[in-house]
Amino acid sequence: MTKKKILVVEDNEDNKRILLYRLRKIGDFDIVATSNGLEALEAVQADPPDLIFMDLKMPVMDGWEATRRIRELESGREIPIVALTAQAMAGDEQRALANGCSDYLSKPVVDPALVREKVEKFLGPQLPPVGA
Ligand SMILES: [Mg+2]
């Protein structure tokens, strides 16, 4: 079976590291990590993932712009995008849903069950990889 591909877009290294750690415990995914919206857009154009976790506030190109541009792509229209929202930024959850995101996940991503819930919502039930 082909591995599901997940694109993680997050400029904060600590937040990125914990999300990648959580994802690797959930399933055997092909994970690509990028640090800004432009890199994410290029990654989607090169090889569209099955699921995207998208930070909103990033240098070079933020998550709002990246989401808008991914949605303009033929290959990016249907990809589930889960916005990574900061608790301090009230209203970002609803704004994300209104601007092309499929769902949201509050940072810091501390609850493994919540990450699993988002992954399985879009990719279906997952078996943890051996040794995870
Ligand atoms: Mg950020």
Side-chain angles (χ1 to χ4, degrees), residues 54-104:
M54 177 75 79
D55 184 25
L56 296 172
K57 193 167 185 293
M58 294 180 291
V60 185
M61 183 191 291
D62 66 23
W64 303 104
E65 173 79 2
T67 296
R68 193 180 64 74
R69 292 179 62 170
I70 288 168
R71 289 296 183 233
E72 287 174 358
L73 299 172
E74 182 81 40
S75 59
R77 205 166 293 153
E78 305 290 334
I79 302 172
I81 300 179
V82 178
L84 299 170
T85 56
Q87 282 172 346
M89 299 298 287
D92 268 4
E93 289 89 352
Q94 293 312 312
R95 190 179 161 208
L97 296 180
N99 284 274
C101 293
S102 318
D103 202 344
Y104 56 84

Coordinates of all heavy atoms in Angstrom, one line a residue, residues 54-104:
M54 N -1.0 23.4 8.3 CA -0.5 24.7 7.8 C -0.5 25.8 8.9 O -1.6 26.2 9.4 CB -1.5 25.2 6.7 CG -1.2 26.6 6.1 SD 0.3 26.6 5.1 CE -0.5 25.9 3.6
D55 N 0.7 26.2 9.3 CA 0.8 27.3 10.2 C 0.3 28.6 9.5 O 0.3 28.6 8.2 CB 2.3 27.5 10.6 CG 2.5 28.6 11.6 OD1 1.5 29.0 12.4 OD2 3.6 29.2 11.7
L56 N -0.2 29.6 10.2 CA -0.7 30.8 9.6 C 0.3 31.9 9.5 O 0.5 32.6 8.5 CB -2.0 31.2 10.3 CG -3.1 30.1 10.2 CD1 -4.3 30.5 11.0 CD2 -3.5 29.9 8.7
K57 N 1.0 32.1 10.6 CA 2.0 33.2 10.7 C 3.4 32.7 10.4 O 3.9 32.0 11.2 CB 1.9 33.8 12.1 CG 2.6 35.2 12.2 CD 2.2 35.8 13.5 CE 2.8 37.2 13.7 NZ 4.2 37.3 13.8
M58 N 3.9 33.0 9.2 CA 5.2 32.6 8.8 C 5.8 33.7 7.9 O 5.1 34.5 7.3 CB 5.1 31.3 7.9 CG 4.6 30.1 8.7 SD 4.4 28.7 7.6 CE 3.1 29.1 6.5
P59 N 7.2 33.7 7.9 CA 7.9 34.6 7.0 C 7.8 34.2 5.5 O 7.3 33.1 5.2 CB 9.3 34.5 7.4 CG 9.4 33.1 8.0 CD 8.1 32.8 8.6
V60 N 8.2 35.0 4.6 CA 8.2 34.8 3.2 C 6.8 34.8 2.6 O 6.4 35.6 1.8 CB 9.0 33.5 2.7 CG1 9.1 33.5 1.2 CG2 10.4 33.5 3.4
M61 N 6.0 33.8 2.9 CA 4.6 33.7 2.6 C 3.8 33.1 3.7 O 4.2 32.0 4.1 CB 4.4 32.9 1.3 CG 2.9 32.8 0.8 SD 2.6 31.6 -0.5 CE 3.5 32.4 -1.9
D62 N 2.8 33.8 4.2 CA 2.1 33.2 5.4 C 1.1 32.1 4.9 O 0.9 31.9 3.8 CB 1.4 34.3 6.2 CG 0.3 35.1 5.4 OD1 -0.3 34.5 4.5 OD2 0.0 36.2 5.8
G63 N 0.5 31.5 5.9 CA -0.4 30.4 5.7 C -1.7 30.8 5.0 O -2.3 30.0 4.3
W64 N -2.1 32.1 5.2 CA -3.3 32.5 4.6 C -3.1 32.6 3.0 O -4.0 32.1 2.3 CB -3.7 33.9 5.1 CG -3.9 34.0 6.5 CD1 -3.0 34.6 7.4 CD2 -5.0 33.6 7.3 NE1 -3.5 34.5 8.7 CE2 -4.7 33.9 8.7 CE3 -6.2 32.9 7.0 CZ2 -5.6 33.5 9.7 CZ3 -7.0 32.6 8.0 CH2 -6.8 32.9 9.4
E65 N -2.0 33.2 2.7 CA -1.7 33.3 1.2 C -1.4 32.0 0.6 O -1.9 31.7 -0.5 CB -0.5 34.3 1.1 CG 0.1 34.4 -0.3 CD -0.7 35.3 -1.2 OE1 -1.7 35.9 -0.7 OE2 -0.3 35.4 -2.4
A66 N -0.7 31.1 1.3 CA -0.4 29.8 0.8 C -1.6 29.0 0.6 O -1.8 28.3 -0.4 CB 0.6 29.1 1.8
T67 N -2.5 29.1 1.5 CA -3.8 28.3 1.4 C -4.6 28.8 0.2 O -5.1 28.0 -0.6 CB -4.6 28.5 2.7 OG1 -3.9 27.9 3.8 CG2 -6.0 27.8 2.6
R68 N -4.7 30.1 0.1 CA -5.4 30.7 -1.1 C -4.8 30.2 -2.4 O -5.5 29.8 -3.3 CB -5.3 32.2 -1.0 CG -6.3 33.0 -1.9 CD -6.2 34.5 -1.8 NE -4.8 35.0 -2.2 CZ -4.4 35.1 -3.5 NH1 -5.2 34.7 -4.5 NH2 -3.2 35.5 -3.8
R69 N -3.5 30.2 -2.5 CA -2.8 29.8 -3.7 C -2.9 28.3 -4.0 O -3.0 27.9 -5.1 CB -1.4 30.4 -3.7 CG -1.4 31.9 -3.8 CD -0.1 32.6 -3.8 NE 0.7 32.2 -5.0 CZ 1.9 32.8 -5.3 NH1 2.3 33.8 -4.5 NH2 2.6 32.4 -6.3
I70 N -2.8 27.5 -2.9 CA -3.0 26.1 -3.1 C -4.4 25.8 -3.6 O -4.6 24.9 -4.5 CB -2.7 25.3 -1.7 CG1 -1.2 25.4 -1.4 CG2 -3.2 23.9 -1.8 CD1 -0.9 24.9 0.0
R71 N -5.4 26.5 -3.1 CA -6.8 26.3 -3.5 C -7.0 26.7 -5.0 O -7.9 26.2 -5.6 CB -7.7 27.0 -2.6 CG -7.9 26.5 -1.2 CD -8.4 25.1 -1.3 NE -8.7 24.5 0.1 CZ -8.2 23.3 0.4 NH1 -7.4 22.6 -0.4 NH2 -8.4 22.8 1.6
E72 N -6.1 27.5 -5.5 CA -6.2 27.9 -6.9 C -5.6 26.8 -7.9 O -5.9 26.9 -9.1 CB -5.5 29.2 -7.2 CG -6.2 30.4 -6.6 CD -5.4 31.7 -6.7 OE1 -4.2 31.7 -7.1 OE2 -5.9 32.8 -6.3
L73 N -4.8 25.9 -7.3 CA -4.2 24.9 -8.1 C -5.2 23.8 -8.3 O -6.0 23.4 -7.4 CB -3.0 24.3 -7.4 CG -1.8 25.2 -7.1 CD1 -0.8 24.4 -6.2 CD2 -1.1 25.7 -8.3
E74 N -5.2 23.2 -9.6 CA -6.0 22.1 -9.9 C -5.8 20.9 -8.9 O -6.7 20.3 -8.4 CB -5.7 21.6 -11.3 CG -6.5 20.4 -11.8 CD -7.9 20.9 -12.3 OE1 -8.0 21.9 -12.9 OE2 -8.9 20.2 -12.0
S75 N -4.5 20.7 -8.6 CA -4.1 19.6 -7.7 C -4.3 19.9 -6.2 O -4.2 19.1 -5.4 CB -2.6 19.3 -8.0 OG -1.8 20.4 -7.7
G76 N -4.5 21.2 -5.9 CA -4.6 21.6 -4.5 C -6.0 21.9 -4.0 O -6.2 22.1 -2.8
R77 N -7.0 21.8 -4.9 CA -8.3 22.2 -4.6 C -8.9 21.4 -3.5 O -9.7 21.9 -2.6 CB -9.2 22.2 -5.9 CG -10.4 23.1 -5.8 CD -10.9 23.2 -7.3 NE -10.0 23.9 -8.1 CZ -9.9 23.8 -9.4 NH1 -10.7 22.9 -10.0 NH2 -9.0 24.5 -10.2
E78 N -8.7 20.1 -3.6 CA -9.4 19.1 -2.7 C -8.5 18.6 -1.5 O -9.0 17.9 -0.7 CB -9.8 17.9 -3.5 CG -10.7 18.2 -4.7 CD -12.0 18.7 -4.3 OE1 -12.5 18.4 -3.2 OE2 -12.6 19.4 -5.1
I79 N -7.3 19.1 -1.4 CA -6.4 18.6 -0.3 C -6.9 19.1 1.0 O -7.1 20.3 1.2 CB -4.9 19.0 -0.5 CG1 -4.4 18.5 -1.9 CG2 -4.1 18.5 0.6 CD1 -3.0 19.1 -2.2
P80 N -7.1 18.3 2.0 CA -7.5 18.8 3.3 C -6.4 19.6 3.9 O -5.2 19.2 3.9 CB -7.7 17.5 4.2 CG -7.8 16.4 3.2 CD -7.1 16.8 2.0
I81 N -6.7 20.8 4.4 CA -5.7 21.7 5.0 C -6.2 22.0 6.4 O -7.2 22.5 6.6 CB -5.5 23.0 4.2 CG1 -5.1 22.8 2.8 CG2 -4.6 23.9 5.0 CD1 -4.9 24.0 2.0
V82 N -5.4 21.5 7.4 CA -5.6 21.8 8.8 C -4.8 23.0 9.3 O -3.6 22.9 9.3 CB -5.3 20.6 9.7 CG1 -5.6 20.9 11.2 CG2 -6.2 19.4 9.2
A83 N -5.4 24.1 9.6 CA -4.7 25.3 10.0 C -4.2 25.1 11.4 O -4.8 24.5 12.3 CB -5.6 26.5 10.0
L84 N -2.9 25.5 11.6 CA -2.3 25.4 13.0 C -2.5 26.8 13.6 O -1.9 27.8 13.2 CB -0.8 25.1 12.9 CG -0.5 23.7 12.3 CD1 0.9 23.5 12.0 CD2 -1.0 22.6 13.2
T85 N -3.4 26.9 14.5 CA -3.8 28.2 15.1 C -3.1 28.4 16.4 O -3.0 27.5 17.2 CB -5.3 28.4 15.2 OG1 -5.8 27.3 16.0 CG2 -6.0 28.3 13.8
A86 N -2.7 29.7 16.7 CA -2.2 30.1 18.0 C -3.3 30.5 18.9 O -4.2 31.2 18.5 CB -1.2 31.2 17.8
Q87 N -3.2 30.0 20.1 CA -4.3 30.3 21.1 C -4.4 31.8 21.3 O -5.5 32.3 21.6 CB -4.0 29.6 22.4 CG -4.3 28.2 22.4 CD -3.8 27.4 23.6 OE1 -3.0 27.9 24.4 NE2 -4.3 26.2 23.8
A88 N -3.3 32.6 21.2 CA -3.4 34.0 21.4 C -4.1 34.7 20.3 O -4.6 35.9 20.5 CB -1.9 34.6 21.5
M89 N -4.3 34.1 19.1 CA -4.9 34.8 18.0 C -6.4 34.4 18.0 O -6.8 33.5 17.2 CB -4.2 34.4 16.7 CG -2.7 34.8 16.7 SD -2.5 36.6 16.8 CE -3.0 37.1 15.1
A90 N -7.2 35.0 18.8 CA -8.6 34.8 18.8 C -9.2 35.0 17.5 O -9.0 36.0 16.8 CB -9.2 35.6 19.9
G91 N -10.1 34.1 17.1 CA -10.8 34.3 15.8 C -10.2 33.6 14.6 O -10.8 33.5 13.6
D92 N -8.9 33.2 14.8 CA -8.2 32.6 13.6 C -8.9 31.3 13.2 O -8.8 30.9 12.0 CB -6.8 32.3 14.0 CG -5.9 33.5 13.6 OD1 -6.4 34.5 13.1 OD2 -4.6 33.4 13.7
E93 N -9.5 30.6 14.2 CA -10.1 29.3 13.8 C -11.2 29.5 12.8 O -11.3 28.9 11.7 CB -10.7 28.6 15.0 CG -9.7 28.0 16.0 CD -9.2 29.0 17.0 OE1 -9.6 30.2 16.9 OE2 -8.5 28.6 17.9
Q94 N -12.1 30.4 13.1 CA -13.3 30.7 12.2 C -12.8 31.3 10.9 O -13.3 31.0 9.8 CB -14.3 31.6 12.9 CG -15.0 30.9 14.0 CD -15.5 29.5 13.7 OE1 -16.1 29.3 12.7 NE2 -15.2 28.5 14.6
R95 N -11.8 32.2 11.0 CA -11.3 32.9 9.8 C -10.6 31.8 8.9 O -10.7 31.9 7.7 CB -10.2 33.9 10.3 CG -9.8 34.8 9.2 CD -8.8 35.9 9.6 NE -8.0 36.4 8.5 CZ -6.8 36.9 8.6 NH1 -6.1 36.9 9.7 NH2 -6.2 37.3 7.5
A96 N -9.9 30.9 9.5 CA -9.3 29.8 8.7 C -10.3 29.0 7.9 O -10.2 28.8 6.7 CB -8.4 28.9 9.6
L97 N -11.4 28.7 8.6 CA -12.5 27.9 7.9 C -13.1 28.7 6.8 O -13.5 28.1 5.8 CB -13.5 27.4 9.0 CG -13.1 26.5 10.1 CD1 -14.2 26.1 11.0 CD2 -12.4 25.2 9.5
A98 N -13.2 30.0 7.0 CA -13.8 30.9 6.0 C -12.9 31.1 4.8 O -13.3 31.7 3.8 CB -14.3 32.2 6.7
N99 N -11.6 30.8 5.0 CA -10.6 31.1 4.0 C -9.9 29.9 3.4 O -8.7 30.0 3.1 CB -9.6 32.1 4.6 CG -10.1 33.5 4.7 OD1 -10.1 34.3 3.7 ND2 -10.7 33.8 5.8
G100 N -10.6 28.8 3.3 CA -10.1 27.7 2.5 C -9.6 26.5 3.3 O -9.3 25.5 2.7
C101 N -9.4 26.7 4.6 CA -8.9 25.6 5.4 C -10.1 24.7 5.7 O -11.2 25.1 5.8 CB -8.3 26.1 6.7 SG -6.8 27.0 6.4
S102 N -9.7 23.4 5.9 CA -10.7 22.4 6.1 C -11.0 22.2 7.6 O -12.1 21.7 8.0 CB -10.2 21.0 5.6 OG -9.6 21.2 4.3
D103 N -10.1 22.5 8.5 CA -10.2 22.3 9.9 C -9.0 23.1 10.6 O -8.2 23.7 9.9 CB -10.1 20.8 10.2 CG -10.7 20.4 11.5 OD1 -10.9 21.3 12.4 OD2 -10.9 19.2 11.8
Y104 N -9.0 23.0 11.9 CA -7.9 23.7 12.6 C -7.4 22.9 13.8 O -8.2 22.0 14.3 CB -8.3 25.1 13.0 CG -9.5 25.1 13.9 CD1 -9.4 24.9 15.2 CD2 -10.8 25.4 13.3 CE1 -10.6 25.0 16.0 CE2 -11.9 25.4 14.1 CZ -11.8 25.2 15.4 OH -12.9 25.2 16.2

